[in-house]
Amino acid sequence: MRTMFRPAAETAMVAGLLGWVYVALIAVLRPGVLSEPITAVLPLRRDTFGALCLALSFGCAFALRARTGTFWTRRAGRPDAVEAGLAAVGGYSFLVWVYLCLDNLSHPQTTGYRLTHFFEHPSEGTTAVLCFLLLSGCLFGLRVRKARHG
């Protein structure tokens, strides 16, 4: 597979699955809000977003398995400083994103509130979107590095 295709497909597979899991949790715990937009930045219904995420994840998983025989590959060895940074930033972005998703499920009225009392911006919802994008970018960077270095 091309150097950029595999990391992009792996990233889309994981990001799509995470998006679907979020919507699935909402469907289980708060089904009345499925028709509301996922965020003010992206005026797309939550249920539509979940269906698109699942389709994207499935399509990437199928393509990866069909072309390479696996969904995911890993390289043994010690990561360098860039890989360690990408992994740490991505990992903590993931943790913040999970927290904000769970927070949104337990009291969605706070999504528009500022994240902390230290700064006016960003809001909880904007931070969740930024963490998701940061996580996806870090994951993509890690996968590109692994594809290039074997």
Side-chain angles (χ1 to χ4, degrees):
M1 293 183 89
R2 294 190 172 182
T3 303
M4 298 297 277
F5 175 77
R6 184 172 189 93
E10 289 170 342
T11 300
M13 179 181 71
V14 172
L17 191 57
L18 288 171
W20 176 79
V21 167
Y22 167 66
V23 174
L25 286 170
I26 287 180
V28 170
L29 300 171
R30 301 185 50 94
V33 299
L34 281 174
S35 62
E36 295 177 8
I38 189 84
T39 177
V41 177
L42 180 64
L44 181 68
R45 288 174 53 118
R46 284 185 172 109
D47 50 1
T48 303
F49 175 76
L52 292 173
C53 284
L54 185 61
L56 174 67
S57 183
F58 174 80
C60 290
F62 176 79
L64 286 166
R65 183 71 177 191
R67 296 192 73 192
T68 67
T70 63
F71 294 115
W72 195 267
T73 58
R74 300 216 180 220
R75 175 173 59 96
R78 188 173 164 163
D80 60 16
V82 173
E83 283 188 30
L86 287 170
V89 171
Y92 281 90
S93 295
F94 173 72
L95 292 175
V96 172
W97 180 76
V98 167
Y99 159 74
L100 290 170
C101 288
L102 294 173
D103 185 61
N104 183 263
L105 290 171
S106 62
H107 37 82
Q109 67 276 11
T110 66
T111 301
Y113 294 1
R114 61 188 188 175
L115 181 64
T116 71
H117 64 283
F118 300 113
F119 305 105
E120 279 296 316
H121 299 287
S123 68
E124 289 182 4
T126 300
T127 303
V129 171
L130 292 174
C131 285
F132 188 82
L133 294 173
L134 189 58
L135 165 63
S136 297
C138 288
L139 181 59
F140 181 73
L142 284 168
R143 301 313 300 164
V144 167
R145 290 182 63 81
K146 290 190 185 301
R148 288 186 179 159
H149 301 305

